[in-house]
Amino acid sequence: MKSHVQLSSHTTPTLIPFHKPFVYSSGATFPLPRLKQAWRQIRINKLIKSKSFSGSIKAIATSDEKSTRVKAVVTVKVIAGGLLSGLGLTGGLDKITDLFGKSILLELVSAELDPKTGLEKENIKGYASKVSQDDDEVKYNCEFEVGEDFGEIGAVLVENEHHTEMHLKTIALEGLLNGNLIINCNSWVSPKSEANVEKRVFFTDKSYLPSQTPNGLRRLREKELAILRGNGQGERKSSDRIFDYDVYNDLGDPDSNSALKRPVLGGKQHPYPRRCRTGRPRCKTDSTSETRSSDVYVPRDEAFSTVKSVTFSVKTVSSVLHALVPSLETAIIDTDLGFPYFTAIDSLFNEGVNLPPLSNNNGFLRNLLPRVIKFLNDTREDLLRFETPAIIERDKFSWFRDEEFSRQTLAGLNPCNIQLVTEWPLKSKLDPKVYGNPDSLITEEIIECEIKGFMTVQEALKQKKLFMLDYHDLLLPYVKKVREVKGTTLYGSRTLFFLTHEGTLRPLAIELTRPPMDGKPQWREVFTPTWNATGCWLWRLAKTHVLAHDSGVHQLVSHWLRTHCATEPYIIAANRQLSVIHPIFRLLHPHFRYTMEINALAREALINANGIIEASFSPAKYSIELSSAAYDLQWRFDHQALPADLISRGMAVEDPTAPHGLKLTIEDYPFANDGLILWDAIKQWVTDYVKHYYPDSALVDSDKELQAWWTEIRTVGHADKKDEPWWPKLKTVDDLVGILTTMIWVTSGHHSAVNFGQYDFAGYFPNRPTIARTNMPTEEPNDEELKFFLAKPEVVLLKCFPSQIQATKVMAVLDVLSTHSPEEEYIGAVIEGVWADNPVIKAAFERFSGKLKELEGVIDARNANRNLNNRSGAGVVPYELLKPFSVPGVTSMGVPNSISI
């Protein structure tokens, strides 16, 4: 149909249906309704004579051909402050644009080719005019007349006629007897006045494999992917939508201070996943490093901070880092000052710390952090006062006890590092010429003495009774380097546990090792629970070092590396290689939301040189380099799947007769018990979804977008691991289900298990100190130090703990990182709009959601079971980190869809 233009003084904008049947992604069809007899078309010369110029455009037929009047209702999101983001209602030019009715240009795109020419049909155009506005949304309407031979609408092109960006929420096409057709956009649209801005394409909510794409949409599908890939050139600006890769070369700041130079992570020397390319210029003093800026680029739709209050988290973290932390540093001038007494630690929760005037005088930060920032009306001062963490609220002395130390390896903040001891004697794999004797000092005699002859070590190994936290080989190469940094220290460590008949773990021994360095021989010592005063205090100090090691591995490996860092390449590859109408993109998209933005913030102020991590954790300036070493030594994609992870650590074996197909080595292992139910629910949902679109494996193997996505993840996003033999193949439906289930588990269940308990477990830092600042008194004791230790062992322990500034900064950050926003998007809670009209997918999602609601009840019942000693008991914090849903705030429960904090 040749479309013509008619100007009208009264019509409002709209979108359209057709007389071809709609085909659901399930394969089901329904006939489009016959609409009312089209009105006789007005000829162009008569229209011109009418001289009516509202700006609304109708496409009309030039003959007596029947047409349908279709209305498009465009919904634009209003930002949190009540003004349109980028619509600039306070700006004169955009007001005039809205007044004249030319706010948004829409073009309807047919999914079909013209049967006569074999080319794409001409789009039908119309201007949308503003019709209403409230606090949350602005509505624009547009009307079209569409000939019955136009075919099914496959997409809408959008051009923003304003001078600033807008956030387009939905386009609803009204006029269909069977209901509206809604296109879920949820995207920023730049103004056409910007350089090199092309019209945006928004496809309908129907999903297509590449080979099944309607002919009228093939070119648009490929063009949109080309735009998202970009050309790899130039510096990215905030409005760009380009996804590309780069190494981690932006953590240091050598131009401001040579001491802030950091190595590039990514490449042979320091293998690492890739991050999003920003294209910033290189540093003047170090051509391998990228210059830093306070506004780190992420593709525009990955940063919804002005639209969704879910990113209150990002704003809050940013405010803590840029306003609260500098105020703390002003309030606590002596960075080395520790806590003189344990009661001084308690005062953080009871009395608080007086803060100097905050940088924002309007109380914004105080309103943002009501849990920690208190306003004292009588003194007109701000007070930093922390909420008492759950672990101390229930039992003030739990952190002091060995049984709690052990219990938290299974049901605490880092439950994914405990492993079964399978080889004896324990032995390092490091080069003995560099690191000294590889044989452990933990002998059979020590173990058998500790278990009081209950069984031999060989019997304990056979019965799977010995477990270990092994940070020896990971940390030992960094001991010398870390010890050169003022105010911290490090050892390689091994901690051994024995599984009791009650199903709990009992600590047996801690071995701390210093390699040969500075002309001194290797030093190592084994510490055990004992019954004399000196031995007890040495044991407590040894535990402090192990806890600092575990805190570092938790934050740098279990949390940052395995979730945030490893996931970013999946997101970049998905946007570069999978069309937005690809069903797998739509499955993964909810689990990728906001991750790139929070990662960018982490590179800006958390993991950067002299950021929170470096300033407060034992590895100091080597912290992120240490996560690179862990990536090189330990990270495997196939082991990120929960069952494979458990098997690889000896915590489970395959057993087809057992629940989940696994038999746990420790039956009461809360992280594994709850996690496997969540894993199975995710896997069943993914299986139902994938089999709907891929009824046979040949479709998986021949899907060019899917294969390009998986290839790019392995060879570009994780390029330093591209030749590893353990990468799963992607040939069959089962292969695809396994890969997707792993990604969704990591971004939802695994991340929640290691993130949302941070404040309740580590807010009282003696339970999980992030740094050990002093060596063991027995390493190289002089008479004076030994005398002081024997006289005041409590003071020695306090000096080993984090300083006041380190503790308070970490506590403030952990409080925010553990918080659920009011609009958190929990897994299985709300169906995505693009699935709502597909009955097969909708039914599968409802089954998935039902299983997650069941999991809530299962977890409650387990926590009430007094036979499960690792999750219940006097003063014990119940294990709820994998309960799917939560109220807002710090709750130590709730599994969001994605890594959004």
Side-chain angles (χ1 to χ4, degrees), residues 530-540 789 793:
T530 186
W531 305 103
N532 67 77
T534 302
C536 281
W537 279 104
L538 288 173
W539 171 249
R540 287 164 189 156
F789 166 64

Side-chain angles (χ1 to χ4, degrees), residues 85-99:
S85 169
L87 285 194
L89 295 182
T90 56
L93 290 175
D94 288 347
K95 282 185 177 179
I96 294 171
T97 300
D98 282 340
L99 184 65

Side-chain angles (χ1 to χ4, degrees), residues 420-426 444 455-467 498:
L420 178 70
V421 176
T422 56
E423 296 179 356
W424 194 269
L426 302 176
E444 291 192 13
M455 62 178 64
T456 67
V457 167
Q458 295 305 317
E459 288 171 333
L461 290 169
K462 186 176 180 180
Q463 295 182 33
K464 298 184 177 180
K465 293 285 190 179
L466 292 181
F467 296 84
F498 180 79

